[in-house]
Amino acid sequence: MKYFDYAATTPPHPDVVRTMAEIMEAQYGNPSSIHGYGERAHQLLRRARSGCAAAIDVKPEEIVFTSGATESNNLAIKGAALQYQSRGKHIITTATEHASVYESFVQLQQWGWEVTWLPVDSDGLVSAQQVVDAIRSDTVLVSLMHVNNETGAKHPIAEIGVRLKKEAPKVLFHVDGVQGFGKMEAKPAAWGADLYSLSAHKIRGPKGAGLLYVRSGVELTPLLSGGSQEQGLRAGTENVPLLVGMAKAMRLAAERQADFAQRTTILRDRIMEVIDTIPGLVLNSRKEGAPHIVHFSYPGMKAEVALHTLEQLGVTVSTQSACSSRSAEPSRVLLAMGRDNACAAGGLRISLGDEHTEEDVALLEQALHQMVAQLRPLERRM
Amino acid sequence: MKYDMLLLRFGEFMLKGKNRARFEKTIITQVRSLLKPYPGASLRKEFGRLYVDLGGESHTELIAVLKRVFGVMSISPVKVTPSETDQIVETAVAFMDERESEFKDGTTFKVNARRVWKEFPNSSHEMNHLVGSPILRKFQQLSVDVRQPDIELRVEIRDQGTYIFSEVIPAVGGFPLGTNGKAMLLLSGGIDSPVAAWSSMRRGLEVECVHFYSYPFTSQRAKEKVIDLARALADHAGTIKLHLVPFTEIQTAFTQLGQDNLIITLMRRSMLRIATKLAERERALALITGDSLGQVASQTLPSMNVIGRATDLPLLRPLVMMDKQEIITLSKQIGTYDISILPYEDCCTLFVPKSPSTNPNLRIVDKIEATMSQLPEWVEQAVEQTETITLHAGENFIVTNQQNEVNDMKEEWF
């Protein structure tokens, strides 16, 4: 079985697993304790923090460890909205964000905030001008993803950040960096981002670990009450082995980023060509997007059927994003890009890691051809 | 706005005639060490000024860093353009364009052109008009006021290029670091002593820090906190030397005496003796403490009298007449406050007696010390066992566990 669902999660790197196992066995101290066990755990955490910071070119004190990107996104969005509500109650995002951002905005909307949902074009993109035009005097926060998790579409984050800093310096800018880090250059501070979320398990680190970059000077209202861990922004004992694992995974990913992009781009382009030549399949990703995601639709076919057929043929892909694929609704992202219902309900995603080889891709090609051949008689009956 | 360089102006020491060259050299050294984390930036000296070519580095970040250079009065971000009339006018208009959001109806400005390069065809006066007119035409909100303009657009025409700037950002001022000599500062983990260090550096003193620790009564983290404080000071000075003195033995000996109310007095006197020896070794000519009059028992006038007599060196107390709130405000400004308030015990908070003497008697203190025959030896030992580390600006110092604590952290984990 060949796994092509790296955007959902990645196999943890063996070195990361080994590190975490060793730390779990021997370094079980609570980093808040002041005895030797606690001291060593604290040191590990400190090293992990500066490692993570170095990988995205920010300062260690600007890193808040969390349980993953969902928590980071929630803390960034709700934490900023609550903290700065005296500035106004208007927040901006797009219609194609990840569920953890989207639902945070929906929740704030229910709590009385006004949300501008920016529309995207047929490639799934917003422009810097659109963002700037949506700014009002009572706008508190703009939240955008670097790379879309379903289609790989890549917002012009750096350009947007620079424009925002110039034209609305008080408006906070949050970037959900989950699908971008390790795949393309990730420098939130240089982009002018005030907040930036990451998750470890998308880059061969462990599940249950993530971080939020909080630019010095930005204050957030914590969502969890309790101890004063993470500068009071995130109460709860830090998960030392996982966080060290994340730091290691981030270093490995940052070191390999250029190589990753080069290798996966070649494979991705090949997959795109194949899909383009199979009648009945429609590409939704563009070459300008992320190097590791190919999204396509099989209009008239339920995505789940296609997925299971491919699985029988030896390749694992996904429908929508993993976080919403257990719902039967057509993809919110594809609908926002102006695709029709059939297209949005038949979306499939192939996502790559740099471990994939040309042989893997050849297997995938074969499976795609075969899948369409098998399902053709069933088209439009579903 | 995209700036090309920063202009740094010097402060009061410029009055000091013959010493100026030495003072400038000192500033350059400090600027160099603060610029280390920014490889793009480079430094150029000119009479009475420094220029930092940004080379792509962020001007806001560099201004924040260079504002700290002692002896620098002000900083201006500058746009550079070739010294040709058309290009100067064009760049000046573009410069104002970037600032348009600040203009209101009735905002006044003037152009202040200076033709340093005398071969340039237009006179300064002509340039004022050539630059001013298109700006007036383009921005209807602006009017000219040559006496007290809201915006003064300065145009310096030089052989190698023309500098256009308007902002003058105040910097820390004072004397260049070290031009008034070197002193040893007693650095605790508290709020005051880092502020005393910064105040001393601003008056041109090079400061080395001495910290007393009482391992194993205090944790590695207390030490780490002091290292962090010293690193925060290095962000101002470029580099800071920190001497870490083992104090456990002396401190425990004092607790055995049955003279609880004098412990603090005795401890402080020993600290001064050790610091004096370190100062002699490092050729420092004074000791500095963060004492503030009346703040705690050891900082009453009688206490300061008895404690201060333990050293022959001048004892400088820059904060002696300051209010706590002023000290706190300063410590927030220089970036040490958040570190200082971390809650670890250090040797000054250990063994604090129930009623420390606010009025110690010098004769009694002398007598007690005379009964402790080993005291001079312990002082020597402490000096010998002192460990010295050097901290650099912008560096994230990681403590390696030098003390017997088992350190099973593995490099390959990261």
Side-chain angles (χ1 to χ4, degrees), chain A residues 18-19 22-23 26-27 30-36 38-40 42-44 46-48 50 60-61 166 244 247-248 251, chain B residues 1 61 98 101 219-222 224-225 227-228 231 344 396-401 405-414:
Chain A
R18 202 171 313 120
T19 290
E22 285 180 23
I23 293 175
Q27 305 282 344
N30 182 328
S32 296
S33 304
I34 61 171
H35 47 58
E39 202 57 62
R40 291 191 289 277
H42 173 75
Q43 292 298 343
L44 286 169
R46 196 177 155 119
R47 275 292 296 271
S50 39
E61 59 269 26
K166 195 175 143 196
V244 175
K248 178 156 193 150
R251 180 176 63 77
Chain B
M1 173 150 14
E61 223 172 291
E98 297 267 4
S101 58
S219 66
Q220 183 69 16
R221 230 175 286 179
E224 194 181 292
K225 170 180 165 181
I227 293 174
D228 276 342
R231 191 186 49 77
Y344 314 115
N396 182 37
F397 191 86
I398 305 283
V399 185
T400 48
N401 269 330
E405 229 169 288
V406 197
N407 181 13
D408 26 21
M409 192 144 93
K410 291 188 193 161
E411 212 37 53
E412 69 255 28
W413 285 347
F414 301 91

Side-chain angles (χ1 to χ4, degrees), chain A residues 129-142:
Chain A
Q129 194 57 46
Q130 261 180 294
V131 176
V132 171
D133 288 344
I135 299 283
R136 315 190 315 208
S137 60
D138 60 343
T139 307
V140 173
L141 174 82
V142 172

